[in-house]
Amino acid sequence: MRTRRRAASIAACVAGALPLVATVVLAANPTVTIDDAVSCMDGSEFCYRPATLTVSAGTTVTVDNGSMASHSLTRCTVSACGSGNTGDGTQSFDTGVLASGSSGQVTLTQPGTYVYYCTIHGYNTMHGSFTVTAASSSSPSPAASASAQPSASASASAPASPSAQPTSAAGAATGSRATPNTGAAPEGRLGALLVVAGLLAFVVRARRRP
Ligand SMILES: [Cu+2]
């Protein structure tokens, strides 16, 4: 709960900073391209483009090696990149070595900041970063709150305000889960009814609380 709220505030900060940072890109299927000096434009031998990228949790980033050399895109560790150069995210990722012209993928599931580097050329020559925000709440659906809602009301203490609940719950699950449910016969509908009932009970209890 606390981490979700923190993630939400991080997301809000990032969203607020968006217009200021030209290199930040929000895309459904983002790609990081590894280039050589000709395309890097900044005098570096190799580079990740864009060097900074913001995505929501659950996003898979494609890594295209467009350079003439082999590279990787690998989460920084303190020993590889130096303390303070790793980011605060909790997951690790690694494309492995990508030969020239090949591509790989990393899936970012945990909100936070992540600095990555190339295991072949090292942090000083090649690094970039991802900022992973909490999953997008742009498509809230009743089914999305199914998993989070009942447990929240069942566990007596619900310090979060009722209005905050559906938003963070919707953020935890993807809207795509709602689509199969509609076609999936009675169980799905019964589940949805239970969720609505649980939600009502939760709201009523929250209102009664002095
Ligand atoms: Cu490299």
Side-chain angles (χ1 to χ4, degrees), residues 39-83:
S39 302
C40 291
M41 313 277 272
D42 63 354
S44 55
E45 187 179 6
F46 302 110
C47 61
Y48 299 100
R49 294 197 310 152
T52 62
L53 182 64
T54 297
V55 300
S56 57
T59 301
T60 295
V61 177
T62 297
V63 183
D64 282 338
N65 183 1
S67 85
M68 299 302 286
S70 293
H71 303 280
S72 79
L73 187 154
T74 308
R75 172 77 198 275
C76 270
T77 59
V78 171
S79 59
C81 302
S83 74

Side-chain angles (χ1 to χ4, degrees), residues 70-71 118 121 126:
S70 293
H71 303 280
C118 171
H121 299 96
M126 298 179 69

